[in-house]
Amino acid sequence: MTGASEFDLIAKYFAPLAGAGAFELQDDAATIAARPGTDLVVTTDTLIAGVDFFEGDPPESIARKALRVNLSDLAAKGAEPWGYLLSLSLPGLDEAWLDAFARGLQDDQERFEIVLLGGDTGATPGPLSVAITAFGHVPEGQMIRRGSAWAGNLVFVTGTIGDSGGGLALLKGDGGALDAAHRNVLIDRYRLPDPPVALGPSLRRFASAAIDVSDGLLADLGHVAEASGMRIIVEGPSVPRSPALEALWGGDIVRAATAGDDYQIAFTAPARHEAAILEAGRDAGTRITRIGRVEAGAGIVLLDAQGHEVEVARKGFTHF
Ligand code: ADP
Ligand code: MG
């Protein structure tokens, strides 16, 4: 397609992804039918080339990562995915790239049962930017908040922590000797996070507070502690790490717990729910590990194997 306008691109690549209410992306706006008795949960996240992914990453994985970093927020809030808006700022027009990008979206739309509702497409003199705003449903008033952890609650986390950070270190050439299989596991996880979307809605039954782990486990649990007016204790050796990450970083728990980009869920829950939580994890195919507890007080504390507090200067990623 030479001389394609953005409207041609939208019709060709994005209209096939559109869901009910989007009018085949031929109107100015879409509608979302109100569902009585539910709240619409709304979240947005932007990925920028050179900051959140590498410009040369496969377009399928850029698309899927952009969607998944939003799906992890919905899951952490206990929401069921519904739809999303996509704002693309393109440094140039490359149809093969767009075609692959749209296929990546299509794959994950099917996997996570979410549809495209609209967006915006334009050119930019800057780097490629992919901004997604996602919507999901929870029963009215039941979105899981950050600020409702309570003393005596246990702390849990899904998946394994630090893999994506390890993958990023490898892509930056900061790896040492690591065999190809481990290397690929970590790099794949950086390019394509695996948020526990299926678990999200069942968390509403147990979780007192939850957050998606994007900046770093300690930084994000620090947000929960602060919003809740509580102190959170993390037992370092309990933090789940993959064999690939252990091959890369050995026993360096601080590095794993501050690396970020995990897109797993950290949550707190009353201790009496522990068995049911682990069972819900098995049902959803998601590993869930108990990593600590909530106490009266303030701040986030990491303990080593001897139960001594580990000094952590930088608890996670910050942009500025
Ligand atoms: P204009 O910017 O000229 O007003 P619009 O932004 O209204 O055009 O886009 C026309 C239609 O195409 C709208 O329905 C909009 O939601 C949709 N759209 C534009 N870009 C995208 C995109 N990247 N993904 C999905 N839908 C898009
Ligand atoms: Mg527009």
Side-chain angles (χ1 to χ4, degrees):
M1 211 191 277
T2 45
S5 73
E6 69 263 35
F7 304 108
D8 300 327
L9 301 175
I10 292 161
K12 185 168 174 191
Y13 297 109
F14 297 126
L17 305 179
F23 309 107
E24 284 84 44
L25 306 181
Q26 286 171 359
D27 210 315
D28 300 294
T31 57
I32 299 178
R35 274 193 206 169
T38 66
D39 287 334
L40 204 53
V41 176
V42 182
T43 182
T44 190
D45 261 311
T46 301
L47 300 189
I48 297 186
V51 179
D52 304 287
F53 62 91
F54 292 84
E55 202 179 330
D57 281 349
E60 294 89 338
S61 73
I62 297 170
R64 295 168 73 189
K65 182 171 185 176
L67 195 52
R68 290 176 180 210
V69 301
N70 281 278
L71 287 167
S72 73
D73 282 302
L74 291 183
K77 301 298 97 182
E80 217 168 286
W82 162 251
Y84 67 100
L85 300 171
L86 168 68
S87 289
L88 266 182
S89 306
L90 301 169
L93 178 54
D94 176 346
E95 289 220 32
W97 189 94
L98 268 178
D99 185 50
F101 183 86
R103 272 188 280 113
L105 289 176
Q106 173 91 58
D107 272 3
D108 268 4
Q109 284 192 199
E110 283 164 20
R111 181 173 284 106
F112 299 113
E113 298 183 58
I114 187 165
V115 293
L116 184 59
L117 293 172
D120 194 33
T121 305
T124 174
L128 168 66
S129 144
V130 185
I132 287 186
T133 298
F135 306 91
H137 285 108
V138 291
E140 202 172 340
Q142 286 187 36
M143 187 180 95
I144 305 166
R145 305 285 311 275
R146 284 185 184 183
S148 33
W150 198 249
N153 284 174
L154 301 178
V155 181
F156 299 87
V157 73
T158 64
T160 53
I161 292 300
D163 296 332
S164 178
L168 177 58
L170 289 169
L171 287 167
K172 286 175 161 171
D174 179 13
L178 190 68
D179 66 80
H182 284 151
R183 208 183 141 78
N184 290 339
V185 166
L186 299 177
I187 289 176
D188 285 355
R189 194 41 38 87
Y190 171 76
R191 292 208 175 118
L192 193 61
D194 186 21
V197 179
L199 181 75
S202 51
L203 285 180
R204 294 198 307 263
R205 286 188 275 143
F206 317 113
S208 51
I211 190 166
D212 88 313
V213 182
S214 55
D215 296 333
L217 180 68
L218 296 181
D220 289 314
L221 278 173
H223 296 319
V224 172
E226 189 178 357
S228 300
M230 292 282 151
R231 172 180 174 90
I232 290 184
I233 314 288
V234 174
E235 292 145 12
S238 304
V239 173
R241 282 156 304 133
S242 69
L245 192 73
E246 289 193 330
L248 181 68
W249 285 348
D252 192 345
I253 292 159
V254 171
R255 203 163 177 191
T258 57
D261 257 350
D262 296 295
Y263 303 106
Q264 295 296 326
I265 302 176
F267 63 97
T268 60
R272 68 177 185 281
H273 290 321
E274 183 170 11
I277 286 168
L278 299 178
E279 194 185 321
R282 284 191 292 273
D283 290 348
T286 297
R287 174 172 175 174
I288 299 181
T289 309
R290 175 182 150 183
I291 57 168
R293 61 185 187 275
V294 182
E295 292 180 353
I300 174 94
V301 175
L302 179 69
L303 301 181
D304 66 15
Q306 286 71 46
H308 298 134
E309 184 170 345
V310 182
E311 211 48 63
V312 183
R314 195 185 136 278
K315 297 197 166 59
F317 176 82
T318 50
H319 279 277
F320 298 104

